[in-house]
mmCIF file of all heavy atoms in Angstrom:
data_model
loop_
_atom_site.group_PDB
_atom_site.id
_atom_site.type_symbol
_atom_site.label_atom_id
_atom_site.label_comp_id
_atom_site.label_asym_id
_atom_site.label_seq_id
_atom_site.Cartn_x
_atom_site.Cartn_y
_atom_site.Cartn_z
ATOM 1 N N LEU A 1347 -2.708 -3.014 2.053
ATOM 2 C CA LEU A 1347 -2.311 -2.461 3.268
ATOM 3 C C LEU A 1347 -1.601 -3.435 4.289
ATOM 4 O O LEU A 1347 -2.129 -4.604 4.456
ATOM 5 C CB LEU A 1347 -3.435 -1.801 4.122
ATOM 6 C CG LEU A 1347 -4.286 -0.720 3.290
ATOM 7 C CD1 LEU A 1347 -5.411 -0.191 4.171
ATOM 8 C CD2 LEU A 1347 -3.359 0.321 2.863
ATOM 9 N N GLU A 1348 -0.599 -3.039 4.832
ATOM 10 C CA GLU A 1348 0.095 -3.856 5.888
ATOM 11 C C GLU A 1348 -0.502 -3.729 7.182
ATOM 12 O O GLU A 1348 -0.635 -4.681 7.957
ATOM 13 C CB GLU A 1348 1.545 -3.520 5.936
ATOM 14 C CG GLU A 1348 2.335 -4.258 6.957
ATOM 15 C CD GLU A 1348 3.863 -3.884 7.025
ATOM 16 O OE1 GLU A 1348 4.256 -2.845 6.440
ATOM 17 O OE2 GLU A 1348 4.662 -4.659 7.554
ATOM 18 N N ASN A 1349 -1.057 -2.470 7.573
ATOM 19 C CA ASN A 1349 -1.458 -2.244 8.916
ATOM 20 C C ASN A 1349 -2.476 -0.999 8.832
ATOM 21 O O ASN A 1349 -2.220 -0.129 8.052
ATOM 22 C CB ASN A 1349 -0.352 -2.018 9.850
ATOM 23 C CG ASN A 1349 -0.770 -1.679 11.220
ATOM 24 O OD1 ASN A 1349 -0.915 -0.548 11.550
ATOM 25 N ND2 ASN A 1349 -1.052 -2.649 12.054
ATOM 26 N N VAL A 1350 -3.525 -1.075 9.657
ATOM 27 C CA VAL A 1350 -4.280 -0.044 9.934
ATOM 28 C C VAL A 1350 -4.542 0.144 11.451
ATOM 29 O O VAL A 1350 -4.780 -0.814 12.221
ATOM 30 C CB VAL A 1350 -5.797 -0.091 9.395
ATOM 31 C CG1 VAL A 1350 -6.733 0.958 9.785
ATOM 32 C CG2 VAL A 1350 -5.720 -0.250 7.867
ATOM 33 N N HIS A 1351 -4.289 1.398 11.993
ATOM 34 C CA HIS A 1351 -4.321 1.640 13.495
ATOM 35 C C HIS A 1351 -4.810 2.809 13.782
ATOM 36 O O HIS A 1351 -4.751 3.853 13.071
ATOM 37 C CB HIS A 1351 -3.053 1.161 14.157
ATOM 38 C CG HIS A 1351 -1.869 2.104 13.815
ATOM 39 N ND1 HIS A 1351 -1.062 2.042 12.618
ATOM 40 C CD2 HIS A 1351 -1.384 3.325 14.360
ATOM 41 C CE1 HIS A 1351 -0.182 2.894 12.689
ATOM 42 N NE2 HIS A 1351 -0.367 3.672 13.728
ATOM 43 N N TRP A 1352 -5.146 3.067 15.128
ATOM 44 C CA TRP A 1352 -5.526 4.369 15.713
ATOM 45 C C TRP A 1352 -4.450 4.646 16.798
ATOM 46 O O TRP A 1352 -4.146 3.992 17.574
ATOM 47 C CB TRP A 1352 -6.980 4.144 16.365
ATOM 48 C CG TRP A 1352 -7.368 5.250 17.256
ATOM 49 C CD1 TRP A 1352 -7.452 5.154 18.591
ATOM 50 C CD2 TRP A 1352 -7.999 6.494 16.945
ATOM 51 N NE1 TRP A 1352 -7.930 6.400 19.118
ATOM 52 C CE2 TRP A 1352 -8.302 7.224 18.001
ATOM 53 C CE3 TRP A 1352 -8.181 7.128 15.647
ATOM 54 C CZ2 TRP A 1352 -8.692 8.465 18.148
ATOM 55 C CZ3 TRP A 1352 -8.727 8.343 15.551
ATOM 56 C CH2 TRP A 1352 -9.057 9.092 16.791
ATOM 57 N N ASP A 1353 -3.941 5.929 16.697
ATOM 58 C CA ASP A 1353 -2.960 6.367 17.676
ATOM 59 C C ASP A 1353 -3.436 7.266 18.826
ATOM 60 O O ASP A 1353 -2.649 7.797 19.552
ATOM 61 C CB ASP A 1353 -1.797 7.122 16.787
ATOM 62 C CG ASP A 1353 -2.299 8.414 16.398
ATOM 63 O OD1 ASP A 1353 -3.461 8.888 16.582
ATOM 64 O OD2 ASP A 1353 -1.490 9.221 15.778
ATOM 65 N N GLY A 1354 -4.752 7.279 18.935
ATOM 66 C CA GLY A 1354 -5.362 8.100 19.976
ATOM 67 C C GLY A 1354 -5.891 9.537 19.442
ATOM 68 O O GLY A 1354 -6.758 10.073 20.124
ATOM 69 N N LYS A 1355 -5.383 9.889 18.235
ATOM 70 C CA LYS A 1355 -5.825 11.150 17.675
ATOM 71 C C LYS A 1355 -6.460 10.924 16.224
ATOM 72 O O LYS A 1355 -7.377 11.595 15.789
ATOM 73 C CB LYS A 1355 -4.706 12.160 17.572
ATOM 74 C CG LYS A 1355 -4.350 12.677 18.928
ATOM 75 C CD LYS A 1355 -3.121 13.689 18.877
ATOM 76 C CE LYS A 1355 -2.686 14.261 20.224
ATOM 77 N NZ LYS A 1355 -1.711 15.324 20.215
ATOM 78 N N GLU A 1356 -5.727 10.066 15.467
ATOM 79 C CA GLU A 1356 -6.189 9.783 14.139
ATOM 80 C C GLU A 1356 -5.961 8.440 13.683
ATOM 81 O O GLU A 1356 -5.110 7.694 14.346
ATOM 82 C CB GLU A 1356 -5.400 10.797 13.187
ATOM 83 C CG GLU A 1356 -3.847 10.598 13.164
ATOM 84 C CD GLU A 1356 -3.286 11.622 12.308
ATOM 85 O OE1 GLU A 1356 -3.784 11.870 11.221
ATOM 86 O OE2 GLU A 1356 -2.155 12.042 12.625
ATOM 87 N N TYR A 1357 -6.530 8.010 12.567
ATOM 88 C CA TYR A 1357 -6.280 6.730 11.994
ATOM 89 C C TYR A 1357 -5.107 6.772 11.050
ATOM 90 O O TYR A 1357 -4.912 7.722 10.333
ATOM 91 C CB TYR A 1357 -7.474 6.214 11.190
ATOM 92 C CG TYR A 1357 -8.686 5.876 12.165
ATOM 93 C CD1 TYR A 1357 -9.705 6.758 12.120
ATOM 94 C CD2 TYR A 1357 -8.709 4.768 12.778
ATOM 95 C CE1 TYR A 1357 -10.864 6.516 12.938
ATOM 96 C CE2 TYR A 1357 -9.824 4.479 13.711
ATOM 97 C CZ TYR A 1357 -11.005 5.242 13.666
ATOM 98 O OH TYR A 1357 -11.945 5.081 14.549
ATOM 99 N N HIS A 1358 -4.375 5.600 10.989
ATOM 100 C CA HIS A 1358 -3.208 5.470 10.141
ATOM 101 C C HIS A 1358 -3.381 4.255 9.252
ATOM 102 O O HIS A 1358 -3.883 3.171 9.663
ATOM 103 C CB HIS A 1358 -1.872 5.405 10.767
ATOM 104 C CG HIS A 1358 -1.518 6.689 11.587
ATOM 105 N ND1 HIS A 1358 -0.613 7.571 11.180
ATOM 106 C CD2 HIS A 1358 -1.940 7.062 12.748
ATOM 107 C CE1 HIS A 1358 -0.498 8.672 12.065
ATOM 108 N NE2 HIS A 1358 -1.376 8.302 13.050
ATOM 109 N N ALA A 1359 -2.994 4.325 7.928
ATOM 110 C CA ALA A 1359 -2.950 3.162 7.110
ATOM 111 C C ALA A 1359 -1.493 3.036 6.531
ATOM 112 O O ALA A 1359 -0.907 4.047 6.034
ATOM 113 C CB ALA A 1359 -3.918 3.317 5.859
ATOM 114 N N ILE A 1360 -0.942 1.913 6.732
ATOM 115 C CA ILE A 1360 0.445 1.593 6.312
ATOM 116 C C ILE A 1360 0.321 0.730 4.987
ATOM 117 O O ILE A 1360 -0.034 -0.371 5.072
ATOM 118 C CB ILE A 1360 1.342 0.887 7.388
ATOM 119 C CG1 ILE A 1360 1.051 1.540 8.723
ATOM 120 C CG2 ILE A 1360 2.726 0.779 7.001
ATOM 121 C CD1 ILE A 1360 1.506 2.895 8.870
ATOM 122 N N VAL A 1361 0.803 1.287 3.810
ATOM 123 C CA VAL A 1361 0.800 0.595 2.641
ATOM 124 C C VAL A 1361 1.859 -0.360 2.742
ATOM 125 O O VAL A 1361 3.081 0.048 3.234
ATOM 126 C CB VAL A 1361 0.893 1.595 1.487
ATOM 127 C CG1 VAL A 1361 0.926 0.867 0.107
ATOM 128 C CG2 VAL A 1361 -0.267 2.558 1.423
ATOM 129 N N TRP A 1362 1.770 -1.601 2.171
ATOM 130 C CA TRP A 1362 2.918 -2.520 2.077
ATOM 131 C C TRP A 1362 4.124 -1.804 1.356
ATOM 132 O O TRP A 1362 3.882 -1.123 0.374
ATOM 133 C CB TRP A 1362 2.432 -3.735 1.291
ATOM 134 C CG TRP A 1362 1.805 -4.829 2.193
ATOM 135 C CD1 TRP A 1362 0.450 -5.062 2.137
ATOM 136 C CD2 TRP A 1362 2.287 -5.696 3.129
ATOM 137 N NE1 TRP A 1362 0.118 -5.948 3.065
ATOM 138 C CE2 TRP A 1362 1.277 -6.372 3.752
ATOM 139 C CE3 TRP A 1362 3.576 -5.758 3.677
ATOM 140 C CZ2 TRP A 1362 1.488 -7.352 4.677
ATOM 141 C CZ3 TRP A 1362 3.734 -6.814 4.683
ATOM 142 C CH2 TRP A 1362 2.719 -7.535 5.128
ATOM 143 N N PRO A 1363 5.302 -2.085 1.810
ATOM 144 C CA PRO A 1363 6.520 -1.460 1.173
ATOM 145 C C PRO A 1363 6.393 -1.782 -0.217
ATOM 146 O O PRO A 1363 6.218 -2.917 -0.730
ATOM 147 C CB PRO A 1363 7.657 -1.960 1.861
ATOM 148 C CG PRO A 1363 7.131 -2.357 3.253
ATOM 149 C CD PRO A 1363 5.691 -2.777 3.057
ATOM 150 N N ASP A 1364 6.805 -0.739 -1.120
ATOM 151 C CA ASP A 1364 6.853 -0.998 -2.605
ATOM 152 C C ASP A 1364 8.264 -1.442 -2.959
ATOM 153 O O ASP A 1364 9.205 -0.617 -2.849
ATOM 154 C CB ASP A 1364 6.409 0.367 -3.388
ATOM 155 C CG ASP A 1364 4.944 0.455 -3.219
ATOM 156 O OD1 ASP A 1364 4.186 -0.352 -3.171
ATOM 157 O OD2 ASP A 1364 4.547 1.706 -3.173
ATOM 158 N N GLU A 1365 8.396 -2.642 -3.349
ATOM 159 C CA GLU A 1365 9.675 -3.288 -3.827
ATOM 160 C C GLU A 1365 10.090 -2.920 -5.192
ATOM 161 O O GLU A 1365 9.214 -2.591 -5.948
ATOM 162 C CB GLU A 1365 9.631 -4.763 -3.637
ATOM 163 C CG GLU A 1365 9.286 -5.292 -2.205
ATOM 164 C CD GLU A 1365 10.350 -5.163 -1.275
ATOM 165 O OE1 GLU A 1365 11.615 -4.900 -1.691
ATOM 166 O OE2 GLU A 1365 10.230 -5.387 -0.015
ATOM 167 N N PRO A 1366 11.379 -2.904 -5.629
ATOM 168 C CA PRO A 1366 11.737 -2.671 -6.915
ATOM 169 C C PRO A 1366 11.089 -3.683 -7.860
ATOM 170 O O PRO A 1366 10.891 -4.817 -7.472
ATOM 171 C CB PRO A 1366 13.238 -2.876 -6.922
ATOM 172 C CG PRO A 1366 13.637 -2.553 -5.592
ATOM 173 C CD PRO A 1366 12.507 -3.047 -4.643
ATOM 174 N N ARG A 1367 10.682 -3.355 -9.029
ATOM 175 C CA ARG A 1367 10.037 -4.140 -10.053
ATOM 176 C C ARG A 1367 10.923 -4.399 -11.280
ATOM 177 O O ARG A 1367 10.914 -3.560 -12.191
ATOM 178 C CB ARG A 1367 8.671 -3.579 -10.496
ATOM 179 C CG ARG A 1367 7.847 -3.374 -9.294
ATOM 180 C CD ARG A 1367 6.360 -3.099 -9.653
ATOM 181 N NE ARG A 1367 6.168 -1.731 -10.135
ATOM 182 C CZ ARG A 1367 5.029 -1.182 -10.453
ATOM 183 N NH1 ARG A 1367 3.883 -1.951 -10.282
ATOM 184 N NH2 ARG A 1367 4.863 -0.039 -10.806
ATOM 185 N N HIS A 1368 11.748 -5.444 -11.092
ATOM 186 C CA HIS A 1368 12.709 -5.673 -12.155
ATOM 187 C C HIS A 1368 12.151 -6.393 -13.408
ATOM 188 O O HIS A 1368 12.845 -6.522 -14.434
ATOM 189 C CB HIS A 1368 13.902 -6.573 -11.527
ATOM 190 C CG HIS A 1368 14.645 -5.894 -10.520
ATOM 191 N ND1 HIS A 1368 15.217 -4.683 -10.619
ATOM 192 C CD2 HIS A 1368 14.707 -6.209 -9.113
ATOM 193 C CE1 HIS A 1368 15.741 -4.274 -9.396
ATOM 194 N NE2 HIS A 1368 15.493 -5.274 -8.486
ATOM 195 N N ASN A 1369 10.976 -6.935 -13.340
ATOM 196 C CA ASN A 1369 10.266 -7.512 -14.551
ATOM 197 C C ASN A 1369 8.836 -7.015 -14.581
ATOM 198 O O ASN A 1369 8.264 -6.666 -13.539
ATOM 199 C CB ASN A 1369 10.382 -9.029 -14.315
ATOM 200 C CG ASN A 1369 11.636 -9.637 -14.187
ATOM 201 O OD1 ASN A 1369 12.429 -9.628 -15.342
ATOM 202 N ND2 ASN A 1369 12.154 -10.024 -13.102
ATOM 203 N N TYR A 1370 8.230 -7.095 -15.639
ATOM 204 C CA TYR A 1370 6.926 -6.821 -15.875
ATOM 205 C C TYR A 1370 5.924 -7.929 -15.418
ATOM 206 O O TYR A 1370 6.156 -9.079 -15.734
ATOM 207 C CB TYR A 1370 6.644 -6.541 -17.376
ATOM 208 C CG TYR A 1370 5.134 -6.208 -17.602
ATOM 209 C CD1 TYR A 1370 4.619 -4.894 -17.231
ATOM 210 C CD2 TYR A 1370 4.159 -7.141 -18.066
ATOM 211 C CE1 TYR A 1370 3.197 -4.655 -17.389
ATOM 212 C CE2 TYR A 1370 2.840 -6.843 -18.205
ATOM 213 C CZ TYR A 1370 2.351 -5.718 -17.953
ATOM 214 O OH TYR A 1370 1.059 -5.311 -18.122
ATOM 215 N N VAL A 1371 5.055 -7.584 -14.544
ATOM 216 C CA VAL A 1371 3.973 -8.525 -14.079
ATOM 217 C C VAL A 1371 2.630 -7.774 -14.333
ATOM 218 O O VAL A 1371 2.510 -6.795 -13.695
ATOM 219 C CB VAL A 1371 4.155 -8.946 -12.615
ATOM 220 C CG1 VAL A 1371 3.093 -9.936 -12.153
ATOM 221 C CG2 VAL A 1371 5.533 -9.594 -12.460
ATOM 222 N N TYR A 1372 1.754 -8.452 -15.078
ATOM 223 C CA TYR A 1372 0.494 -7.782 -15.287
ATOM 224 C C TYR A 1372 -0.308 -7.691 -14.021
ATOM 225 O O TYR A 1372 -0.429 -8.654 -13.220
ATOM 226 C CB TYR A 1372 -0.384 -8.545 -16.317
ATOM 227 C CG TYR A 1372 -1.751 -7.947 -16.532
ATOM 228 C CD1 TYR A 1372 -1.973 -6.810 -17.100
ATOM 229 C CD2 TYR A 1372 -2.815 -8.705 -15.901
ATOM 230 C CE1 TYR A 1372 -3.301 -6.350 -17.218
ATOM 231 C CE2 TYR A 1372 -4.139 -8.192 -15.951
ATOM 232 C CZ TYR A 1372 -4.336 -7.046 -16.570
ATOM 233 O OH TYR A 1372 -5.595 -6.579 -16.693
ATOM 234 N N ASP A 1373 -0.929 -6.536 -13.906
ATOM 235 C CA ASP A 1373 -1.733 -6.297 -12.628
ATOM 236 C C ASP A 1373 -2.927 -5.402 -13.058
ATOM 237 O O ASP A 1373 -2.512 -4.190 -13.519
ATOM 238 C CB ASP A 1373 -1.053 -5.816 -11.459
ATOM 239 C CG ASP A 1373 -1.781 -5.787 -10.098
ATOM 240 O OD1 ASP A 1373 -2.937 -6.506 -10.147
ATOM 241 O OD2 ASP A 1373 -1.432 -5.057 -9.240
ATOM 242 N N GLU A 1374 -4.057 -5.739 -13.011
ATOM 243 C CA GLU A 1374 -5.278 -4.772 -13.436
ATOM 244 C C GLU A 1374 -5.233 -3.592 -12.520
ATOM 245 O O GLU A 1374 -5.254 -3.668 -11.313
ATOM 246 C CB GLU A 1374 -6.562 -5.495 -13.391
ATOM 247 C CG GLU A 1374 -7.704 -4.667 -13.940
ATOM 248 C CD GLU A 1374 -9.084 -5.500 -13.852
ATOM 249 O OE1 GLU A 1374 -9.064 -6.665 -13.398
ATOM 250 O OE2 GLU A 1374 -9.959 -4.851 -14.451
ATOM 251 N N ASP A 1375 -5.141 -2.401 -13.171
ATOM 252 C CA ASP A 1375 -5.069 -1.223 -12.433
ATOM 253 C C ASP A 1375 -6.157 -0.133 -12.929
ATOM 254 O O ASP A 1375 -6.806 -0.503 -13.882
ATOM 255 C CB ASP A 1375 -3.717 -0.690 -12.355
ATOM 256 C CG ASP A 1375 -3.212 -0.065 -13.648
ATOM 257 O OD1 ASP A 1375 -3.899 -0.354 -14.709
ATOM 258 O OD2 ASP A 1375 -2.110 0.476 -13.709
ATOM 259 N N ALA A 1376 -6.016 0.989 -12.383
ATOM 260 C CA ALA A 1376 -6.929 2.131 -12.705
ATOM 261 C C ALA A 1376 -6.254 3.282 -13.337
ATOM 262 O O ALA A 1376 -6.871 4.439 -13.432
ATOM 263 C CB ALA A 1376 -7.839 2.508 -11.612
ATOM 264 N N ASN A 1377 -4.960 3.122 -13.648
ATOM 265 C CA ASN A 1377 -4.256 4.334 -14.237
ATOM 266 C C ASN A 1377 -4.279 5.560 -13.500
ATOM 267 O O ASN A 1377 -4.359 6.739 -14.138
ATOM 268 C CB ASN A 1377 -4.805 4.626 -15.782
ATOM 269 C CG ASN A 1377 -4.334 3.341 -16.741
ATOM 270 O OD1 ASN A 1377 -3.354 2.711 -16.469
ATOM 271 N ND2 ASN A 1377 -5.078 3.084 -17.611
ATOM 272 N N GLY A 1378 -4.210 5.499 -12.153
ATOM 273 C CA GLY A 1378 -4.147 6.718 -11.419
ATOM 274 C C GLY A 1378 -5.504 7.141 -10.769
ATOM 275 O O GLY A 1378 -5.508 8.049 -10.050
ATOM 276 N N ALA A 1379 -6.588 6.543 -11.238
ATOM 277 C CA ALA A 1379 -7.877 7.035 -10.794
ATOM 278 C C ALA A 1379 -8.130 6.566 -9.289
ATOM 279 O O ALA A 1379 -7.395 5.703 -8.797
ATOM 280 C CB ALA A 1379 -8.990 6.442 -11.653
#
């Protein structure tokens, strides 16, 4: 997350921008779970 904030009505979470992935880099994940 890049940012989490409250706008007076609700909470917002800003996910870091997803950049193009031109090469494979291993990253442990949960396959969508």
